[in-house]
Amino acid sequence: MSYESIIFIAREVMVYQIPPLKTSKGYRASEWDVAKPLWTGRLKVVEKSVPVRAEAYDSSELRCELMLEDGNTGELFATAVYGANGKGVEQVVDSSRFFVIRVVDGERHAYLGMGFQERSESFDFNIALQDYKRHATPGTGLTEATNAKEPTKDYSLKAGETITVEIGNKTRRRKAGSSSGSSNSSGALPFLPPPPSAAQVKQQQSEQEEQDDFGEFVS
């Protein structure tokens, strides 16, 4: 099953004819004639699944396309493909609002400049591309470790092993495979008696006072 999802829209972007790349450091928008764009229109970033068929199974992969359209008619001007490896879109080295995109037309391709009016739009554009990369190449570290089923641990005593339980100043040792001679064969620890109730405490105090009074009387 294929689907398409629009992950970003800019109402107006500028597209520029740019000179060839001069150095390996990257493109510079200062070398463009930014006052005279080649084209102005709408940018729509679309995430879509592309079916991939093999002999034994059917699967799908995600693809990201930058679609440059006329803002009024929707007529397509150019399409650029952005790969999960980050290729297809490159930010210039001297501005956060300008990018270089690789537009494709069948077997042909060309590099064009693209600029946003506001830095906030270019920031949202970058976030959309990062979201696509995360969807196309989901993380494997923590996710797989969390979903992996942990092996069942055996906490039972093996033959010859013993366990020591301390109760107050007494130590009780129990050996695997043996049974206790006491009536508490389940091995449960004995419970302490409950504390005396308020009525019992009051009665004990009354008896103690009577004994003290009687001692003073006989003396």
Side-chain angles (χ1 to χ4, degrees):
M1 179 182 296
S2 61
Y3 81 95
E4 291 187 6
S5 176
I6 300 174
I7 59 177
F8 176 77
I9 290 181
R11 301 300 177 185
E12 185 178 69
V13 295
M14 293 78 66
V15 174
Y16 303 93
Q17 191 80 38
I18 61 176
L21 182 63
K22 297 179 179 180
T23 66
S24 59
K25 295 181 179 180
Y27 292 91
R28 303 182 67 88
S30 58
E31 298 175 352
W32 309 346
D33 190 356
V34 295
K36 297 179 180 180
L38 173 68
W39 178 87
T40 300
R42 179 176 60 202
L43 168 66
K44 186 165 60 177
V45 181
V46 179
E47 182 181 277
K48 59 175 63 177
S49 63
V50 181
V52 178
R53 299 188 178 276
E55 294 181 0
Y57 63 90
D58 289 342
S59 61
S60 63
E61 63 180 9
L62 287 178
R63 179 171 176 171
C64 184
E65 293 184 356
L66 283 63
M67 305 178 68
L68 299 168
E69 303 174 339
D70 185 279
N72 297 319
T73 65
E75 181 182 359
L76 184 66
F77 170 74
T79 300
V81 178
Y82 179 70
N85 57 2
K87 294 183 177 180
V89 178
E90 181 180 348
Q91 189 167 354
V92 300
V93 297
D94 58 346
S95 176
S96 61
R97 295 190 298 113
F98 294 91
F99 299 81
V100 174
I101 60 176
R102 183 179 184 270
V103 298
V104 293
D105 182 13
E107 298 295 329
R108 299 181 302 173
H109 70 271
Y111 291 93
L112 297 176
M114 183 180 71
F116 293 90
Q117 294 282 3
E118 303 292 338
R119 286 185 175 84
S120 59
E121 286 187 318
S122 64
F123 176 80
D124 293 340
F125 172 67
N126 268 323
I127 294 298
L129 297 184
Q130 292 174 17
D131 287 343
Y132 159 71
K133 291 176 66 175
R134 187 171 64 251
H135 299 161
T137 55
T140 57
L142 181 60
T143 302
E144 290 187 357
T146 302
N147 295 333
K149 185 177 180 180
E150 295 184 358
T152 303
K153 296 181 180 180
D154 183 9
Y155 294 101
S156 60
L157 292 177
K158 304 300 185 293
E161 293 182 345
T162 60
I163 183 172
T164 302
V165 179
E166 294 186 359
I167 306 175
N169 295 327
K170 297 181 179 180
T171 301
R172 178 176 298 178
R173 185 182 298 271
R174 186 176 180 188
K175 187 175 182 181
S178 64
S179 60
S180 175
S182 63
S183 59
N184 188 13
S185 58
S186 62
L189 298 179
F191 291 100
L192 295 175
S197 63
Q200 292 174 336
V201 172
K202 186 175 181 179
Q203 182 179 357
Q204 292 176 359
Q205 291 177 348
S206 178
E207 292 176 354
Q208 183 66 35
E209 291 176 355
E210 291 179 359
Q211 292 177 2
D212 293 343
D213 294 342
F214 181 74
E216 293 177 357
F217 176 76
V218 296
S219 63

